[in-house]
Amino acid sequence: MKILGIETSCDETAASVVDDDGAILSNLVLSQLDEHRAFGGVVPEIAARAHLTHLHTLIKAALEDANLEAYELDGVAATCGPGLIGGVMVGMMAGKAIAAAHDLPFIAVNHLEAHALTPRLTDKVAFPYLLLLVSGGHTQILVAEDIGQYKLWGTTIDDALGECFDKSAKLMGLPYPGGPELERAAAQCADPAAAIKRFPLPVPLKGRAGCDFSFSGLKTAVRTHVDKLPKGALRREDVNALACAFEHTVCAILNDRCEGAITRFLDTYGNKTNTPTLVISGGVAANGAVRNTLKTLTNRHEMSFIAPPAALCSDNGAMIAWAGIERLKKGMTDTLDIAAKPRWPLDQDSELNRKSKSSSCKK
Ligand code: KG4
Ligand code: ZN
């Protein structure tokens, strides 16, 4: 079974062909960094137009790379939400058109489910597993019980973690996109212990019950530190030290919040799985310090830890194709009148959905 996956929900135009063994036959991602850099973040209208300009070329190239004609596909999957609605509609309509033209099943993919299922593509992780989903628009702790079945245990009550990385990086004068730039700056800090002492930062909700997150206080504290630095262009050593303190604090927050979730998962699902597993997914999962922190935490709880390769953590078409395969195998296809959804929670019944202000790509 071979599926074409199309992703256009934020600032990456992506197309990929994946087969049901998990072989990625092609995976093309065209980032719109240059289009948005001058604005310091994603401009929805520019993103939608850029998807429109490039998507057909990218799809053609993805099919060529996979050595396939469209009629040889077994289905077409496209992100239908959540995300920036203009971009989502571009990818969704392209996917529907290819499906209609070749009489193929169409699968409307929830972008969050695609992130959530990526560890099954890369590592064949069995349900149920505990999932930390950390991207530009979302920060959630969920239990993945099955395809289409998720329990939301915690969400951010303000900013998403990727958003906090990006905004803090901007405050430090780092170029867009902030997350990876901030990680690079932190790695160049000469004396991490001194940096952490010099730039104390808050760990919001520390020790509090539940699995919710809050990041806006951290961003504000970064601003306060930046304001106290000498005026003008910031010195590289200061930025490296502040980035290091920031990353250290993010790890402390994730450690605190995930520890409670792990205990709850082991209590609730421990007897339903032989290999209790924490999975991290979404763009921020590419961060090395974050991965190391969660690896140490899971080791302590004798749990396994899965983090997909960095290229599959940030937005890509392979994760959409894979989510399409998982759904198609279960007969979960969609009709061509399905609408794009700017908001599309993974756990529709959770009252936590009301708490979360994050609904889409926030880069
Ligand atoms: O999943 P993703 O590609 O797009 C969304 O669905 O939002 O996540 C993008 C986010 C951005 O905020 C980006 O700065 C962040 O992931 N990110 C990182 C790193 N790489 C990407 N944050 C921290 N460290 C990184 N290495
Ligand atoms: Zn994403």
Side-chain angles (χ1 to χ4, degrees):
M1 183 188 286
K2 295 181 183 64
I3 300 264
L4 169 69
I6 299 171
E7 160 58 35
T8 56
S9 67
C10 190
D11 60 343
E12 266 94 25
T13 316
S16 163
V17 179
V18 175
D19 79 12
D20 54 344
D21 290 330
I24 300 176
L25 306 181
S26 63
N27 191 19
L28 298 176
V29 181
L30 185 73
S31 188
Q32 303 174 359
L33 292 180
D34 291 340
E35 279 92 333
H36 301 286
R37 189 170 279 121
F39 304 94
V42 176
V43 183
E45 179 62 25
I46 293 176
R49 283 168 192 266
H51 290 307
L52 198 56
T53 307
H54 300 297
L55 184 59
H56 59 287
T57 318
L58 214 67
I59 291 174
K60 215 168 147 238
L63 288 170
E64 272 168 23
D65 277 8
N67 232 335
L68 284 177
E69 298 287 340
Y71 68 84
E72 294 175 286
L73 292 166
D74 296 283
V76 182
T79 299
C80 289
L84 301 173
I85 196 70
V88 170
M89 284 176 72
V90 171
M92 182 187 75
M93 295 311 289
K96 284 180 179 178
I98 297 168
H102 299 283
D103 201 15
L104 296 169
F106 176 73
I107 305 104
V109 170
N110 180 322
H111 180 90
L112 300 177
E113 177 163 59
H115 277 306
L117 297 177
T118 303
R120 287 171 57 79
L121 162 65
T122 56
D123 294 84
K124 309 267 175 280
V125 183
F127 293 117
Y129 52 89
L130 185 62
L131 169 69
L132 173 66
L133 180 57
V134 274
S135 70
H138 295 87
T139 305
Q140 302 186 340
I141 292 183
L142 302 120
V143 178
E145 290 186 340
D146 204 342
I147 311 298
Q149 277 182 46
Y150 301 88
K151 292 275 180 289
L152 179 62
W153 280 2
T155 184
T156 177
I157 53 176
D158 40 56
D159 294 349
L161 180 53
E163 185 183 4
C164 181
F165 260 97
D166 294 339
K167 288 181 176 168
S168 300
K170 204 168 170 180
L171 288 168
M172 295 176 206
L174 292 168
Y176 166 84
E181 287 290 339
L182 198 152
E183 179 173 20
R184 268 191 286 278
Q188 283 162 26
C189 172
D191 187 346
I196 292 160
K197 245 184 159 165
R198 179 179 169 204
F199 295 115
L201 292 164
V203 179
L205 306 181
K206 186 167 170 45
R208 205 86 73 78
C211 305
D212 282 340
F213 295 90
S214 166
F215 292 106
S216 70
L218 177 56
K219 179 191 61 194
T220 307
V222 167
R223 185 192 301 275
T224 308
H225 284 309
V226 169
D227 287 347
K228 286 189 197 144
L229 290 172
K231 295 283 164 269
L234 300 180
R235 292 185 333 151
R236 194 70 222 187
E237 308 88 85
D238 292 340
V239 172
N240 294 348
L242 184 52
C244 177
F246 174 88
E247 212 177 56
H248 172 81
T249 306
V250 165
C251 291
I253 295 171
L254 293 180
N255 193 72
D256 174 63
R257 304 284 74 205
C258 289
E259 180 126 52
I262 285 176
T263 307
R264 183 172 165 191
F265 182 78
L266 293 174
D267 283 352
T268 323
Y269 290 88
N271 59 354
K272 297 191 178 90
T273 167
N274 295 328
T275 323
T277 303
L278 171 69
V279 154
I280 183 170
S281 189
V284 184
N287 185 282
V290 166
R291 291 162 93 106
N292 289 339
T293 298
L294 296 175
K295 177 85 196 124
T296 308
L297 177 65
T298 46
N299 279 348
R300 216 161 6 94
H301 289 272
E302 296 179 0
M303 217 173 158
S304 63
F305 174 62
I306 303 286
L312 295 175
C313 288
S314 50
D315 291 351
N316 64 87
M319 70 180 195
I320 306 304
W322 179 253
I325 285 172
E326 295 254 37
R327 294 186 85 84
L328 185 58
K329 278 205 259 179
K330 290 200 141 202
M332 300 160 96
T333 61
D334 296 277
T335 50
L336 295 183
D337 56 359
I338 189 159
K341 304 178 200 188
R343 284 184 74 91
W344 190 357
L346 275 182
D347 178 356
Q348 309 268 1
D349 302 328
S350 172
E351 61 171 39
L352 295 183
N353 290 323
R354 270 183 284 122
K355 266 194 207 169
S356 176
K357 285 190 207 139
S358 303
S359 62
S360 55
C361 156
K362 288 274 181 60
K363 279 178 275 183

